[in-house]
Amino acid sequence: MRSVSLNSKRRMLAAFVAAGVSYVMNSAFAEEAARMDRPRGHENGMLIHTGQKVCFLGASISEFGWNQSTGYLKLFVTCLAANGIEIIPLPAGVSGNTSRDMLARLDRDVISRKPDWVTIDAGGNDVWHGSVPFDEYMANMTAIVDKAQAAHIRVVLQTCTPLFEDVNGEFNRKLSYYDDFLRYLAGQKHCVLADLNADALSILKAKTSSDNHRTT
């Protein structure tokens, strides 16, 4: 599948914005919360509750996030437990994976395990390795969400965190197209959006030195 030109990407993203990227930022989480059944005892507004299975689909960040004691998946589970919510974690991170790889193993590593939720962190390797062009990425991510939702799995889409700390570098400029598509997709498919990219960029833009403080 050929990659689209820069001008084509800009036209696509303009269409995404017109279709309601702002809707994602302001309404997707609230809509998902409003339409879900929450059991008694969860008046704190948490979407996830005790006994639910949560699958974490991703690449190296997700793999190491589970295999290391300070990884973000371990911290996520620990944080929920500290708030009285005991989930069943299903790690599904494979280092080096792209959206293409994750789509290929979705049935085996996610759907067959029948989770209540799946978090999806895909796109960094697509850009970094240059192996998955933007048009294929859009098709892959849409298929992943569609298949998960068809299996009655609730979806959390995570935008991709920057590589290194030059927010204007070539990688991060290209990644912005992929992240903007995820924001659009979350709104269209009524997914919960975890905008990790926006959070990371806000930290990096506040830096006063050129040293790498947050990434290696």
Side-chain angles (χ1 to χ4, degrees), residues 22-148:
S22 61
Y23 166 83
V24 179
M25 302 300 293
N26 298 320
S27 303
F29 188 89
E31 181 172 334
E32 178 72 6
R35 71 186 181 87
M36 283 179 57
D37 264 341
R38 283 203 203 93
R40 291 185 180 180
H42 288 271
E43 293 81 4
N44 58 6
M46 299 292 283
L47 296 180
I48 296 174
H49 56 81
T50 292
Q52 287 191 322
K53 294 191 289 185
V54 182
C55 191
F56 302 95
L57 181 66
S60 58
I61 293 175
S62 300
E63 180 179 348
F64 299 140
W66 180 252
N67 293 338
Q68 297 180 357
S69 61
T70 56
Y72 90 95
L73 299 187
K74 288 288 180 68
L75 295 175
F76 177 79
V77 173
T78 300
C79 179
L80 286 177
N83 285 276
I85 300 171
E86 301 282 350
I87 66 167
I88 301 168
L90 304 173
V94 176
S95 183
N97 262 198
T98 64
S99 63
R100 184 187 299 155
D101 301 315
M102 293 181 210
L103 177 58
R105 63 184 178 88
L106 185 70
D107 288 332
R108 181 193 69 198
D109 291 352
V110 178
I111 293 175
S112 67
R113 301 164 86 178
K114 302 185 185 303
D116 299 283
W117 290 88
V118 60
T119 70
I120 304 171
D121 183 10
N125 287 330
D126 299 55
V127 176
W128 191 12
H129 301 163
S131 55
V132 179
F134 186 56
D135 48 359
E136 183 187 349
Y137 178 76
M138 291 190 293
N140 291 343
M141 294 304 296
T142 302
I144 289 172
V145 171
D146 285 345
K147 292 188 71 171

Side-chain angles (χ1 to χ4, degrees), residues 1-5 8 11-12 132-137:
M1 201 177 280
R2 65 176 181 82
S3 61
V4 294
S5 68
S8 295
R11 286 194 296 271
M12 281 188 233
V132 179
F134 186 56
D135 48 359
E136 183 187 349
Y137 178 76

